Amino acid sequence: MTAPLINDSFLRACLRQPTPHTPVWLMRQAGRYLPEYRATREKAGNSFMGLATNVQYATEVTLQPLDRFPLDAAILFSDILTVPDAMGLGLSFGAGEGPRFAHPVRDEAAVGALRVPDMQRLRYVFDAVASIRRALLTRDAQGREAGRVPLIGFAGSPWTLACYMVEGGSSSDYRLVKTMLYARPDLMHRILQVNADAVSVYLNTQIESGAQAVMIFDSWGGVLADGAFQRFSLDYTRRVVAGLKREKEGRRIPVIVFTKGGGLWLEAIAGCGADVVGVDWTVDLAQARARVGQRVALQGNLDPMVLFAPPEVVAREAQAVLDRFGPPQRGDGGWEGHVFNLGHGINQHTPPEHVSALVEAVHAHSRVLRQQRASES
Ligand code: CP3
């Protein structure tokens, strides 16, 4: 667990330290767009939870995108909904459908019965983290044992989890969860407090098990009204962040907060205690950098649908994202940091060859930008 990293560019960028290129990883980088993922899923009885609860398979699937593309980070293969599942809500993924909870949380009795789950029920996640860390070990140029890239752990934000817990699955209008928020804010606050406590211990246990950075997915923060976002989403994300262990193995554990649709609230999100703020494709990275780049690193933000265009277009669009941020510089608040990513998860129909073109373009063009900057000064 104490072996050094061969490629620590992702951790360095998160902590706003200089890197030779802009590190890149992709939200949902292990998944159905890869034929090898579909093959492993088949072996696991064609079930997502069958894959996620089997340490061997979860490890295999996490490593698949890294064996294909020179990505700068690995992300644990699991799901944000493992936490409400461990609370007893009964998660299932129907064939070709989204997630479903057998016991959604819709009334006072259900809210009152909600508890932080026993972390033993999530043992399979922590075992997967430890197993992936071991599988990432290799030998460096001097023959010493070293990690290939860092491993990211993750969880859903208290609000995003509440959306699924109340709706009972995915939703197009968030009617049930917003009805509870407006009509019974007391019940909503109680759900969010239990979720915040659960997510804190869940992430801390992932860190104990070997996660080298953690990301909080606030995928549905952006559906909230101004004012409601701050009180029902960001306040609870802040509580989670405040409860996290920030150092392990002598290194700082970066915390990334991603709020889809959160561009209007960038300053507030940057103040929640995270090291990195993830942004979706509606955000101009030059403006985001000017607004918060001296306080946090930024992660993002290519539209995942760009990956359906021909590889030369993919490369050009990736360059445009890098150009908008520009090469990281030193300012009054220290160095700046950019982690390249998509603005949301990769689509399941994405051609894998286009992902190769993307990763190659990010590495090549970000090196060129750094050389240009160096020769200017
Ligand atoms: O990034 C990675 O590669 C790690 C794995 C990961 C998954 N889910 C695997 C998964 C991560 C980080 C998640 C997070 C997640 N899960 C979020 C937050 C990110 C986001 O996209 O906003 C959310 C909202 C969920 C909930 C969820 N899980 C939904 C709505 C679905 C079904 C729709 C879909 O995209 O497939 C899932 C299932 C799921 N989680 C799959 C994968 C690879 C597909 C399941 C399958 O193979 O059938």
Side-chain angles (χ1 to χ4, degrees):
M1 280 303 201
T2 52
L5 283 162
I6 292 177
N7 174 1
D8 67 351
S9 58
F10 165 76
L11 292 180
R12 293 184 59 87
C14 286
L15 298 173
R16 294 187 293 131
Q17 296 164 358
T19 56
H21 62 262
T22 299
V24 51
W25 70 278
L26 308 176
M27 289 190 259
R28 300 280 195 104
Q29 64 191 22
R32 286 168 297 187
Y33 75 105
L34 292 176
E36 55 271 33
Y37 170 85
R38 297 194 297 269
T40 309
R41 193 182 190 283
E42 200 74 46
K43 282 196 291 182
N46 222 354
S47 125
F48 173 77
M49 285 308 276
L51 260 187
T53 57
N54 179 307
V55 171
Q56 201 72 49
Y57 289 148
T59 305
E60 184 176 311
V61 159
T62 301
L63 276 276
Q64 285 171 348
L66 297 163
D67 292 340
R68 234 187 218 262
F69 318 114
L71 295 159
D72 297 292
I75 180 162
L76 161 70
F77 185 79
S78 189
D79 199 82
I80 62 166
L81 302 179
T82 53
V83 170
D85 183 54
M87 290 173 176
L89 272 60
L91 175 65
S92 62
F93 290 91
E97 293 167 38
R100 280 267 144 246
F101 282 116
H103 313 290
V105 180
R106 294 197 181 140
D107 55 24
E108 190 149 3
V111 173
L114 220 50
R115 296 284 181 277
V116 172
D118 180 350
M119 289 296 132
Q120 279 307 324
R121 302 191 66 170
L122 292 157
R123 190 76 256 158
Y124 65 92
V125 177
F126 312 128
D127 289 346
V129 170
S131 160
I132 297 160
R133 274 297 296 278
R134 281 193 299 274
L136 282 168
L137 287 175
T138 178
R139 297 272 162 192
D140 69 11
Q142 285 77 43
R144 289 176 305 224
E145 190 164 66
R148 289 164 63 182
V149 290
L151 174 62
I152 306 168
F154 71 92
S157 73
W159 164 253
T160 292
L161 294 180
C163 288
Y164 289 97
M165 292 161 73
V166 176
E167 298 287 340
S170 301
S171 171
S172 57
D173 57 9
Y174 303 89
R175 180 171 57 86
L176 299 175
V177 70
K178 286 190 174 189
T179 301
M180 186 187 284
L181 180 157
Y182 288 117
R184 291 295 307 271
D186 57 317
L187 296 187
M188 185 50 65
H189 281 299
R190 152 108 181 121
I191 297 178
L192 293 169
Q193 186 58 55
V194 173
N195 286 356
D197 291 345
V199 168
S200 286
V201 272
Y202 182 58
L203 288 177
N204 277 332
T205 316
Q206 290 185 30
I207 292 167
E208 280 304 323
S209 307
Q212 291 151 298
V214 291
M215 173 147 163
I216 300 171
F217 285 89
D218 190 24
S219 304
W220 311 127
V223 307
L224 285 167
D226 184 51
F229 169 73
Q230 290 84 342
R231 276 178 288 126
F232 293 93
S233 174
L234 189 58
D235 270 4
Y236 289 91
T237 297
R238 183 181 292 112
R239 288 183 207 192
V240 172
V241 175
L244 295 181
K245 185 177 162 88
R246 300 299 274 269
E247 226 186 88
K248 181 86 198 301
E249 305 167 33
R251 281 196 90 133
R252 186 170 168 88
I253 306 286
V255 176
I256 309 167
V257 168
F258 168 65
T259 300
K260 183 161 176 284
L264 293 170
W265 302 305
L266 215 50
E267 287 80 1
I269 298 168
C272 81
D275 302 281
V276 187
V277 172
V279 291
D280 67 26
W281 58 85
T282 61
V283 169
D284 172 2
L285 282 186
Q287 285 178 22
R289 172 185 175 170
R291 286 165 67 187
V292 300
Q294 290 291 300
R295 287 200 282 156
V296 289
L298 289 163
Q299 176 174 280
N301 69 345
L302 188 78
D303 182 346
M305 296 306 165
V306 165
L307 288 165
F308 289 96
E312 56 280 13
V313 178
V314 172
R316 203 189 321 126
E317 294 288 334
Q319 289 171 6
V321 168
L322 290 164
D323 290 342
R324 285 314 288 164
F325 190 92
Q329 294 188 70
R330 184 181 297 284
D332 296 338
W335 203 265
E336 296 171 324
H338 178 210
V339 174
F340 195 102
N341 206 315
L342 304 176
H344 201 195
I346 191 167
N347 183 282
Q348 62 166 308
H349 304 293
T350 303
E353 322 79 72
H354 294 195
V355 176
S356 294
L358 172 65
V359 175
E360 201 177 300
V362 172
H363 284 160
H365 189 67
S366 64
R367 283 180 192 274
V368 169
L369 287 179
R370 281 162 175 74
Q371 279 157 13
Q372 283 172 353
R373 173 58 46 85
S375 62
E376 278 162 24
S377 57

